[in-house]
Amino acid sequence: MEKYSTYGTEDFLTDEHFLDWILAPSETSNEYWKAVFILYPACESKADEAKKIISALRIRPGKTMPADMRRQIVAHLHANADETVAASKRNHFIRSWKRYLATACVLACCATAFFFYRTPSHPTTGKLIIERAEVATAKETKITNTADKPLLVLLPDTSTVILEANAYIVYNEQTFTENREIYLRGEAFFEVVSEKDHPFRVKTDYLTTTVLGTSFRVKAAETLAKSKVTVQSGMVEVRKKTETDSTTETEMPVYLTANQEIIYSKSELQQPSSPLTPNDVPSPTFDEHFKSTPLKTVLKALSDQYHVDISVADSVLETRTITASLREMHLFEKLDLISRAAEITYRIVDGRIVFTQLSRDN
Amino acid sequence: MGTQWTDLFLWKRFQRGDKDAFTKLVNQYSDILYGYGKRFSADDELIKDCIQDIFLTLWHRREHLSETTCIKFYLMKALRQRIVRESGKWQRMSSLDDIPMNEARFVIELEDHPGLMEPVNTALKAYINKLSPRQREIIYLRFYENLKQEEVAELMGLNPQSVYNLQYSALLALKKLMNYPSIRDCILALCLLISATP
């Protein structure tokens, strides 16, 4: 910082950090420059002058695209979107930024691998028991929540399951991305990543729930008296399992949309006559618009919504504020967004979410 | 930087082949791209074709692209390369002038600054016109589109040091211009002082 003691106007004009601050101030940069001016008060007037010079550059905004040009472009794109392009037609700009993107790709892969391998690596310390078994040729994974509170499980397709106490799920890890089928005993809340060609099925002993991308809760009690499916968003199809053949469900399905639920009892599917109010849905929607809200409050709201443990490693981080709208997002999208906003990172440790400082420190 | 987050999710949907997300992406960036493109060329048809092409290529290559949080930068870069290439072709056919298109033209205009006197505003406009097209583009990208200096360098295909130098000389000239009124005031005060002394 000492260099600022001798800074003149020209030095500020060539200082990219300074220009970044003037052009796009952030909380961090505001603090930084405030500190600079307290330590080296003599340079503040030079900085002001530099600011004034920059502010003279008021570039007149260009014309917006004419509405009918936009219409023509969109129409052209839709008309041609389904055509396949020959390799020779590929543009060279894409190739050049592919190289640029390679790092991002590797980073993304690391992050994904991390989630998948992290959870199984602590089977004994946490309360999520992961068992792998080979049934015939299929490799099945069974995840049981032995804790007394809900825990979070990430599926290979990045859909999430919040597994209630004593519930367990079974799925085939190898084929899951192609055939998204999961067996559930107990109660769980699902947030499904939408994939048109790969429907997501949750099977219980009595019901099969098929979705394309939504969030819903399935309750398949061990005593088997009642099974229940509650939909928070999107739409699902529920079928009764026939006794003879477990793979084909022949009876008419029942469709449920947001805030509806269905109860299976005494071999019948019963749909409550009136739609539920949002309050009846076990995963409450909360006000998901935050404006300069402390991280602590945001995480509390999220934790209440999903009934999962969310903690922050360093209490200093909890005071950071967030302005964001988290509506209609998948849990992991919300976590990613919060991480970006508060410049922190998170890990999944034994079904719990832990936020920590970014390792890159400056 | 709120747009970056929504960008990310829009991009994810786009990569999954969601045409609605594609339309949204087009609507969201068409003004930025059109505004940038028009500074290179007045030819609406050329700009339209270029924008159409880069979006179509983006769509067909979507599965091969990595997750990106800065769609704006990539689209601007793609558009720039396309315009330079297309207008280069056009120029070779129609004129003997062999200056590349991006060197020949980049138009920006300044708005009047209400806090400055009329002659200063006039001088500012003259100053912008005197800068080289490259300098104007750097000023535009850095101070209007808020790109970082490294991004400006990558987008324009220049090395960062050249961008630094070009930007520095442009800002230095601007500083001189802005200081001019105060120097004049000093001289004026001095003259008054001299004339006032008996």
Side-chain angles (χ1 to χ4, degrees), chain A residues 138-180:
Chain A
K139 283 205 173 99
E140 293 208 317
T141 304
K142 177 180 176 185
I143 301 176
T144 312
N145 180 5
T146 61
D148 51 6
K149 54 186 167 192
L151 292 176
L152 174 71
V153 178
L154 179 69
L155 297 173
D157 67 338
T158 73
S159 293
T160 55
V161 184
I162 291 163
L163 212 51
E164 293 289 326
N166 300 319
Y168 70 81
I169 50 172
V170 181
Y171 62 92
N172 186 331
E173 192 146 356
Q174 280 175 324
T175 60
F176 191 80
T177 45
E178 281 303 304
N179 180 20
R180 302 197 295 170

Side-chain angles (χ1 to χ4, degrees), chain B residues 7 42 46 52 66 69 75 84 106 112 145 154 165 178 181 198:
Chain B
D7 266 13
L46 173 79
Q52 214 159 263
S66 304
T69 49
L75 287 175
V84 168
F106 192 88
D112 278 342
E145 289 293 355
E154 197 191 324
N165 292 341
M178 296 287 286

Side-chain angles (χ1 to χ4, degrees), chain A residues 82-107:
Chain A
D82 297 323
E83 262 173 45
T84 48
V85 262
S88 61
K89 237 187 121 185
R90 286 175 191 163
N91 283 301
H92 108 276
F93 83 89
I94 296 284
R95 254 176 274 149
S96 66
W97 51 281
K98 209 172 154 194
R99 172 178 45 81
Y100 188 83
L101 290 172
T103 9
C105 181
V106 171
L107 275 175

Side-chain angles (χ1 to χ4, degrees), chain B residues 178-197:
Chain B
M178 296 287 286
N179 277 345
Y180 172 72
S182 55
I183 294 167
R184 196 185 47 187
D185 290 348
C186 283
I187 295 168
L188 207 67
L190 207 66
C191 291
L192 284 171
L193 205 69
I194 293 162
S195 60
T197 42

